[in-house]
Amino acid sequence: MERFDYSKAVDWAIDLIRQGKETDNVLMLASFSEPIDRFEISPYVTNVLNDFGLEELDYNSAVIANAHYHLSEILDDKEIRKNLRSLYQLCIDNDYDPGLMNFYLIYHGWDELEKIGVNYYFDGADLNNIQDVLKNEARKWIDKYVNGKEVDEFRQTLTTEKEKPLPTTSAISKGAGSANLKDKPLNKLWSWLTGKEL
């Protein structure tokens, strides 16, 4: 998983101040500027979370929250390709996690469709429906891992599936003929960080 971009935490603190939610820790966090030393800023992030009774996430919960954030952005039609790329990278960074593999495959399938007009990665996806396919997979993932009963199953796959061999193009080829938070920045960042609404 890529390192957390602490500039988002600074932006969050600034938004908290604008909303009248000032504490000494929020003011300290908002005072940081680039370049941000993660070792220096992280205690302030922890303190701000504590000020609001929020808890930090463990690694697996952070992966789920990160994926949920990007999927929510996709469903809101915000920078779809950029967010898909982030999910693709999240999958790679987590040893090709099976819970994220469909987004890895859709990423490559979309790229192939644009380059050669054929998709050998995700069955049924073509240039006319690739966004709909992606959004459908996003809804299914959120239903399963955020709204559903299977969050623990995903967390378990993050640790148990890491021994599986990496897929090859021929092993992941599916469908060789298918050429055919709400609106507030605070809520979005908090949802991204924790997977919960503020």
Side-chain angles (χ1 to χ4, degrees):
M1 185 170 182
E2 61 192 58
R3 289 220 166 121
F4 178 67
D5 178 3
Y6 281 100
S7 66
K8 292 178 182 179
V10 173
D11 292 342
W12 176 52
I14 293 168
D15 286 338
L16 286 171
I17 293 168
R18 287 183 185 142
Q19 295 174 23
K21 298 178 181 180
E22 282 184 27
T23 67
D24 289 340
N25 291 316
V26 169
L27 293 171
M28 286 298 297
L29 183 58
S31 71
F32 279 85
S33 59
E34 298 285 343
I36 297 173
D37 179 339
R38 67 185 179 101
F39 296 109
E40 184 180 352
I41 196 173
S42 64
Y44 294 102
V45 173
T46 300
N47 291 340
V48 170
L49 292 173
N50 290 337
D51 286 351
F52 292 101
L54 307 172
E55 59 186 77
E56 291 184 67
L57 298 176
D58 60 40
Y59 180 82
N60 294 337
S61 297
V63 171
I64 291 171
N66 192 352
H68 183 218
Y69 169 78
H70 292 295
L71 292 168
S72 296
E73 292 288 290
I74 287 169
L75 291 172
D76 288 339
D77 291 318
K78 294 180 182 169
E79 300 183 282
I80 291 173
R81 292 297 285 273
K82 179 182 177 189
N83 283 293
L84 178 58
R85 174 143 186 33
S86 295
L87 291 166
Y88 156 83
Q89 191 61 52
L90 188 62
C91 180
I92 292 170
D93 292 345
N94 285 282
D95 297 327
Y96 296 85
D97 181 82
L100 298 169
M101 186 55 79
N102 281 348
F103 304 107
Y104 173 91
L105 297 171
I106 291 170
Y107 174 84
H108 280 295
W110 199 337
D111 189 50
E112 267 196 349
L113 285 166
E114 289 181 336
K115 287 182 180 173
I116 62 173
V118 178
N119 160 29
Y120 292 104
Y121 285 90
F122 202 87
D123 191 31
D126 59 43
L127 278 176
N128 295 323
N129 71 0
I130 191 84
Q131 283 192 24
D132 293 333
V133 167
L134 173 59
K135 288 180 179 183
N136 185 47
E137 289 301 316
R139 284 185 204 92
K140 287 195 302 192
W141 191 95
I142 290 170
D143 284 346
K144 183 175 182 177
Y145 297 114
V146 176
N147 300 333
K149 322 124 202 102
E150 303 179 54
V151 172
D152 291 331
E153 175 188 322
F154 178 71
R155 288 180 180 157
Q156 184 178 2
T157 65
L158 284 172
T159 54
T160 60
E161 296 289 334
K162 293 187 183 208
E163 282 91 47
K164 287 191 175 180
L166 298 179
T168 64
T169 304
S170 61
I172 59 176
S173 176
K174 294 174 135 186
S178 59
N180 310 336
L181 318 195
K182 307 296 178 203
D183 51 346
K184 303 227 185 240
L186 166 65
N187 290 340
K188 286 186 178 184
L189 178 64
W190 175 243
S191 293
W192 184 81
L193 290 170
T194 65
K196 300 176 187 174
E197 293 285 326
L198 180 63

